[in-house]
Amino acid sequence: MADGFEDPFEDEFDSPAPTPVVDVDAVVAETESAVASVAVEPPEGLPEERGEMTAAVINPLIDATRHVFRVSLKTEVTRSGLHLYNPAYPIHPVSSVIELTGAAYGAVCLNLPRRTAFQIVARMTGATAEKDDAAVRDAVGEITNMIAGNAKAKFEHLKLRMGLPRVLLGDAPMLPLPAFVAPVRAEFRSEIGDLGVIFGLRRAGDRPEAAGA
């Protein structure tokens, strides 16, 4: 500067500090990880008795559902409810049930409105589905298989075996759920439609005391 005067703030105004670059993907991943790590409490009324294992699989099933829909269908799902499954309560007309056997037994059921089932077909195959047909059965069965398999991997000590998906179509299907299991229903919302996952698990060999009386 003139007359040999040095401005102590000259560098600060002439060379502003660079704006830090935010890694958006890292922030999103960290947020999703934090949300997923928050344990979901079992619904009120779930039996607390010897052999009952449904509470232990709630979070793995919810995480598996989110993962499969995100990776395979490119859509996020948000849990909107969690309650005990009541066979008398109306359910969606498209269901896919997979039986689990091994050191524990139970089932995983993906329950969908027709609109959601048709959207799953479109996302998986690129084809348009307008009726309940083989394409719907195949796509819904495969997604159920992915969800059950993803959750099953977290219970290797139980040596669970998965049956083939059984797809049921109709306005009031009776779900073939194992006896003595207390199923829970998790409700989800997504951009391709609503959905529900019904599941339950019990240690093999254990039965409710009331049932054996």
Side-chain angles (χ1 to χ4, degrees), residues 188-208:
F188 300 89
R189 292 174 180 168
S190 77
E191 65 179 4
I192 64 173
D194 295 340
L195 59 131
V197 178
I198 302 167
F199 54 90
L201 194 69
R202 171 174 284 279
R203 186 178 296 109
D206 285 334
R207 297 288 188 272

Side-chain angles (χ1 to χ4, degrees), residues 48-54 102-106 158 178-182 201-212:
E48 296 182 4
E49 56 190 18
R50 188 184 68 179
E52 178 56 55
M53 300 184 65
T54 298
Y105 70 96
L158 296 176
F180 306 121
V181 171
L201 194 69
R202 171 174 284 279
R203 186 178 296 109
D206 285 334
R207 297 288 188 272
E209 295 181 2

Side-chain angles (χ1 to χ4, degrees), residues 110 117 120-122 124-125 134-145:
L110 179 62
I120 287 176
V121 173
M124 293 185 70
T125 68
V136 170
R137 291 178 179 273
D138 290 346
V140 173
E142 181 60 23
I143 290 296
T144 310
N145 196 60

Side-chain angles (χ1 to χ4, degrees), residues 8-9 22-23 26 39 51 66 75 80 89 93 97 107 109 117 128 130-131 134 139 141 152 154 187-188 206 208:
F9 301 105
V22 178
D23 187 339
R66 287 175 174 150
T75 187
S80 57
Y89 189 80
V97 183
C109 170
T128 300
E130 297 180 349
K131 61 180 180 179
K152 167 182 169 290
K154 301 179 181 179
E187 302 281 355
F188 300 89
D206 285 334

